[in-house]
Amino acid sequence: MDTGTGVDTDTDTDTDPHPGTGSWHLTHDLDEFLTRAGAFLRSRPALHTVPLTVTETLRTRGRCVYGDGAPEFGVLERAGEVRAALFRTPPHWLNLTAVTPEDADALAARLADLGRLLPGVNAQCDTAAAFAEAWRRHTGAPAVLRQRQRLYRLGTLTEPGRLPPGGPRIAVEADRELLRRWHDEFSASVGLGTVRDSAEWADARIAGGGITLWETPDGTPVAMAGTGPRVAGQVRVAPVYTPPHFRRRGYAGAATAEVSRAALASGVDEVLLFTDLDNPTSNGLYQRIGYRPVADFDVHDFT
């Protein structure tokens, strides 16, 4: 039950309903979550890039930035040590760090007992599969694999062959409507729905200089590449988008190389990005400019 204090009082870390699997503590309080899980998340910043960047965005842009529902967070603790973490920004998927099948089952049982309604899960492949199966056992809701993703880390940046005509520039206020429209088109193209209001997203990226446009010599924007907030020494490249009628001309590769170069120059330790594994073009492109695989993630829908 949410008492309005920000803490989910249905959770009790002193009583473990699944002995031997550790205790899941759930909360709606972002500060409490970061106090408990911050060091754990920062211990493996590449694998934890999504919770790190999402919680940083919630901290700086407000708790409703991803939707009207109250975000929920959780940590798995065993012998006083954090072993895993989760977050969810309704109406979006549960995001879960790597856990054992036993811990996935304990979490699924806990959330089912609390009457949570989940649209799906996003996690590393084994964890996503384990939680999806546990959710089916405890709720009867089967899962469907929605998307296979691969996380890449930039090694040595390499120019993507001959650059297309034109050049890069940082998006400014005059580009707001273009960014808003391209954000919606990008969200639709990746099939994961719009996770932020497009106008709010455009305003935030313009204010932070977080979007680079590739322009043709006549000044026509033909592609964009962006970077998220710097947190725990890492930056993630996202989104990368080229409208369909401008594709296969090298614009996305040029824009991605440009933002990757800028991120490296800013002094970050790691530059990361996700791809859809069912898109061989983008996977090939990123590897040609120096990105190397780190881990695979799956998104499951609960039907």
Side-chain angles (χ1 to χ4, degrees):
M1 172 175 64
D2 186 354
T3 63
T5 64
V7 178
D8 186 341
T9 56
D10 283 334
T11 65
D12 180 2
T13 57
D14 294 330
T15 302
D16 184 359
H18 299 272
T21 63
S23 178
W24 283 100
H25 174 86
L26 306 179
T27 181
H28 291 289
D29 189 316
L30 175 60
D31 291 335
E32 179 193 359
F33 172 71
L34 292 176
T35 297
R36 286 176 176 264
F40 166 75
L41 294 176
R42 291 170 182 270
S43 69
R44 305 184 75 181
L47 290 177
H48 300 157
T49 178
V50 174
L52 283 166
T53 54
V54 167
T55 53
E56 179 65 11
T57 301
L58 290 169
R59 189 184 67 81
T60 57
R61 304 295 299 182
R63 63 184 283 163
C64 294
V65 67
Y66 293 105
D68 293 335
E72 184 170 46
F73 313 97
V75 293
L76 172 66
E77 294 180 327
R78 183 180 293 113
E81 182 179 351
V82 175
R83 301 297 183 91
L86 67 86
F87 76 86
R88 181 172 175 246
T89 54
H92 307 296
W93 294 264
L94 175 74
N95 188 286
L96 180 60
T97 65
V99 296
T100 66
E102 293 77 16
D103 290 327
D105 186 80
L107 176 62
R110 187 69 167 278
L111 295 176
D113 288 346
L114 292 171
R116 298 295 195 266
L117 299 176
L118 300 181
V121 63
N122 185 345
Q124 285 181 253
C125 297
D126 290 349
T127 292
F131 184 85
E133 174 58 22
W135 191 249
R136 183 197 62 77
R137 287 196 302 270
H138 291 287
T139 68
V144 175
L145 179 63
R146 183 186 186 99
Q147 188 179 80
R148 302 179 305 130
Q149 302 175 340
R150 178 160 291 165
L151 174 66
Y152 287 91
R153 177 191 289 116
L154 181 61
T156 301
L157 181 63
T158 303
E159 290 291 349
R162 183 179 178 181
L163 292 176
R169 70 168 175 83
I170 302 297
V172 297
E173 181 63 31
D175 301 304
R176 183 177 187 269
E177 177 58 26
L178 175 72
L179 296 191
R180 187 201 63 74
R181 186 173 73 252
W182 280 7
H183 175 267
D184 286 345
E185 292 174 6
F186 169 79
S187 298
S189 70
V190 299
L192 294 180
T194 301
V195 298
R196 287 177 69 175
D197 175 78
S198 58
E200 188 278 335
W201 174 87
D203 290 340
R205 290 302 181 94
I206 290 169
I211 292 290
T212 292
L213 299 173
W214 192 270
E215 288 186 328
T216 58
D218 67 358
T220 301
V222 290
M224 72 173 177
T227 52
R230 176 176 177 169
V231 57
Q234 53 89 16
V235 161
R236 191 168 78 255
V237 175
V240 177
Y241 180 68
T242 306
H245 53 289
F246 290 131
R247 291 176 186 171
R248 301 189 181 279
R249 304 183 194 182
Y251 298 137
T256 302
E258 179 63 25
V259 299
S260 301
R261 183 184 303 106
L264 289 174
S266 73
V268 298
D269 299 323
E270 297 181 312
V271 183
L272 309 166
L273 58 77
F274 279 99
T275 67
D276 180 349
L277 276 175
D278 290 333
N279 186 335
T281 300
S282 62
N283 282 270
L285 164 66
Y286 297 135
Q287 291 183 73
R288 285 195 299 276
I289 65 176
Y291 282 89
R292 299 293 176 257
V294 176
D296 289 352
F297 291 71
D298 284 341
V299 180
H300 292 266
D301 285 340
F302 300 148
T303 60

